[in-house]
Each structure stands twice: as structure tokens, then as C-alpha cells.
Amino acid sequence: MAPALTSADLRGTWGTLLLSLHPDDTIDWGRTTHALDVLVAAGLDGVYVHGTAGEFHTLSEDEYDQINELVADRCAGHRIPFQIGASHMSAQTCLARVRRARAVAPSAVQVTLPDWLPLSRTEVIRFLVRIASAADPVPLVLYNPPHAKTLVAADSYAAVRREVPSLIGIKVGGGDAAWYAAMREYAGDLAIFVPGHGLATGLRHGAAGSYSNVAALSPAGAVAWQRMMVEDPEGGLDVERRIQSFLADHVDPLARQGFGNPALDKFLAHLGNWAEIGTRVRWPYDSIDESLAERLRPTVRACLPELFPAE
């Protein structure tokens, strides 16, 4: 079984499994398994699956179950915490996924809120109460990214915590100092996870960790950078500034062209060249040309040598 998680020990840098795809959009299980093995060996605080970058919204239920079994086998065998995303646009499908995710004994289950119609505060709590009951005894993490149709306001978390005590953490977009202050007031002991490229600043304001896009670029590098944040905080902030500058120059323009988060994270992984994942995302979404990442490999290594410690 995976190590149990509480809000106190849900911490650090977590990496996600990205799907390697054949030209016909079927999963290349060999390359996907190899990518998982690299994540498991990288020293990350944990591994998670079925977030946005994992293309959970494209999976058949059979594929969903097969990935769960694969991750549970690899991570539990190495005593590495792992989280299973059970998110879906439909609350009913999400509920069914939660029940099946619970069966592989993950460290936590991640869910998003239903996404066709926005939810009221009462509906958010009603949804999470039933999801928590289905997941029991596995704790919950709420994934509430900036593009969610229902964004949970900071002052809602006091009621959520009261009604859903098994909620141990939240995955959110972060904010400024005032946002962190509000979250400290209302979110209490919930573990707050912020985007990887803002982790050094987030830790200073009380964030617990990141489900990390930096780990998509370099799993081992994300671990090394997190260590630097503790041993050399100013150096960690300098790396963060350079990460954000690189993203602004080379990744944000791709987002403005319309490429989605799965395409961007696979682009980062191909740029980092730590596994043969490729940049293909599932129909109908656009994929980024692999050659662009290959041309930029010398640039990212010159800009961010700290993220490529073995080179």
C-alpha cells in the first residue's frame, strides 16, 4: 500500500505521468511505463496521474483503470506516495472513478468540480461530501485550476473544511501576498499546492508544494531546485525568475497560439529529453512540433543549468 497522507505531510514537488501516444492516438504503454519509471527514480515527493496534463478528459474507462493499476504497482512497490485523479466533467462519472481509484489504495484522490455548469457554494460542498464518502478512507485533494468554471473563493474554504474533513489539500493557481493571507485565514491547515514555476515564492508565503510543470521539464532538476530553496533561498528565487523568463519567452507564445496545457507540458518534457514521451496529444487538440523543442534544448540548458544536474 502507498504511504498514507495527511494535510501535514502532503508536501513538496510532485511529478505527473504524461501519456506517450502512437500516431493513431492509442497509448504507447512501453514508453509510458518507461516515463513512469524515470519519475519513480527521480527523488520526487510523489507521483500523480489524471490531471490536465495527463489528458484525463480523453481517457476511456478501461484506459483509466489500466493506468491506475500501473501507477499503483510501480509506486507502491517503491514506497512512493501517489495520487490518483478521478476528475471528470460529469459528477456521476467522477463518482464512479473515485470508487475505482480507492480500490488501488492511493495516498490521496484528486477531483475537480463538475464542469458543464457552474456550482453554487452549497453545491460545491454537496459534491465534495459525497465524493469524500465514496473515497473513504482515502483522503481528498481538490484540483481547482484558474480555468475551472467554478472557482472556490478563499472565504469558502472554512465551510468546506468543516463539512469535508477528509479534504487535505488544494491544487490552485496561486496569487499575490493578499491572496496568500486570505488563504491562511480561511484554508487553515489545508496543504496549498501552487504551479511549479512559482514554488520558491509560494513556499515563502506558506504554500506546501507543487504538482509541478518544472518536473515535466526535468524531474531530477525539479528535485534539485527544491533542495536549493531550502539550502539557498535567494538562489532558489533566482532560478524561479529565470524559469519564468524562459517560459515567458518560449512557452507563453505557444499558449497564446492556442496550444493547451497537455501540449505545453509534453513540449516541456520533450525539451527536457528525460524520456521518450513525444509531443503528440489526443484528437481533437493540436500538438506542438517536436522539432521546436529540440532546437530549444541548448537554450534551456544554458538558461537553467541547475535543472539539468546530471549533464
Side-chain angles (χ1 to χ4, degrees):
M1 294 180 62
L5 283 175
T6 66
S7 59
D9 56 28
L10 175 54
R11 292 288 184 272
T13 297
W14 289 61
T16 194
L17 179 63
L18 302 169
L19 302 181
S20 182
L21 301 171
H22 292 296
D24 64 357
D25 271 5
T26 57
I27 296 173
D28 183 329
W29 291 104
R31 290 197 299 168
T32 298
T33 300
H34 176 258
L36 176 59
D37 288 339
V38 174
L39 292 175
V40 165
L44 295 160
D45 292 283
V47 172
Y48 69 103
V49 288
H50 308 316
T52 301
E55 299 177 89
F56 75 86
H57 50 288
T58 73
L59 295 174
S60 72
E61 298 310 292
D62 286 343
E63 290 171 332
Y64 175 82
D65 293 339
Q66 190 168 348
I67 291 169
N68 290 354
E69 293 288 346
L70 173 65
V71 172
D73 176 69
R74 286 298 202 277
C75 292
H78 289 82
R79 298 292 294 171
I80 294 174
F82 69 98
Q83 296 180 46
I84 299 291
S87 301
H88 199 275
M89 292 70 71
S90 158
Q92 288 70 27
T93 302
C94 175
L95 188 65
R97 285 187 171 187
V98 167
R99 290 170 176 147
R100 303 203 313 279
R102 180 189 62 189
V104 301
S107 306
V109 168
Q110 290 184 15
V111 295
T112 55
L113 299 172
D115 205 50
W116 181 248
L117 298 173
L119 276 64
S120 69
R121 185 177 300 196
T122 299
E123 290 168 335
V124 167
I125 292 174
R126 181 183 301 140
F127 170 77
L128 290 174
V129 165
R130 187 165 179 184
I131 291 295
S133 177
D136 185 60
V138 178
L140 291 184
V141 171
L142 175 62
Y143 175 23
N144 194 224
H147 59 270
K149 194 159 289 182
T150 303
L151 290 175
V152 180
D155 61 5
S156 295
Y157 280 108
V160 170
R161 288 169 54 228
R162 183 171 60 251
E163 299 296 331
V164 193
S166 65
L167 182 71
I168 62 170
I170 52 177
K171 178 183 178 181
V172 290
D176 57 14
W179 179 87
Y180 278 103
M183 293 300 289
R184 286 194 297 270
E185 177 179 358
Y186 294 108
D189 60 355
L190 290 178
I192 298 172
F193 273 56
V194 296
H197 59 274
L199 181 57
T201 296
L203 290 180
R204 288 198 164 193
H205 287 289
S210 174
Y211 301 108
S212 178
N213 59 342
V214 178
L217 173 63
S218 173
V223 173
W225 179 39
Q226 179 177 263
R227 189 179 308 114
M228 180 186 293
M229 294 175 208
V230 176
E231 298 173 353
D232 178 13
E234 290 304 319
L237 286 170
D238 177 62
V239 172
E240 179 181 276
R241 285 188 288 269
R242 284 184 279 122
I243 290 171
Q244 292 180 0
S245 177
F246 179 85
L247 295 177
D249 289 343
H250 300 291
V251 179
D252 291 354
L254 296 171
R256 289 193 293 271
Q257 291 175 38
F259 292 106
N261 285 341
L264 297 174
D265 277 13
K266 287 187 178 180
F267 170 76
L268 289 175
H270 198 65
L271 180 62
N273 197 31
W274 53 270
E276 294 183 9
I277 296 167
T279 60
R280 185 181 184 87
V281 294
R282 274 184 157 170
W283 171 87
Y285 302 101
D286 285 329
S287 304
I288 301 170
D289 194 312
E290 291 185 358
S291 64
L292 175 58
E294 291 159 6
R295 290 197 301 272
L296 282 174
R297 283 174 183 166
T299 302
V300 73
R301 283 157 175 77
C303 178
L304 295 164
E306 298 87 349
L307 298 187
F308 301 93
E311 296 183 9

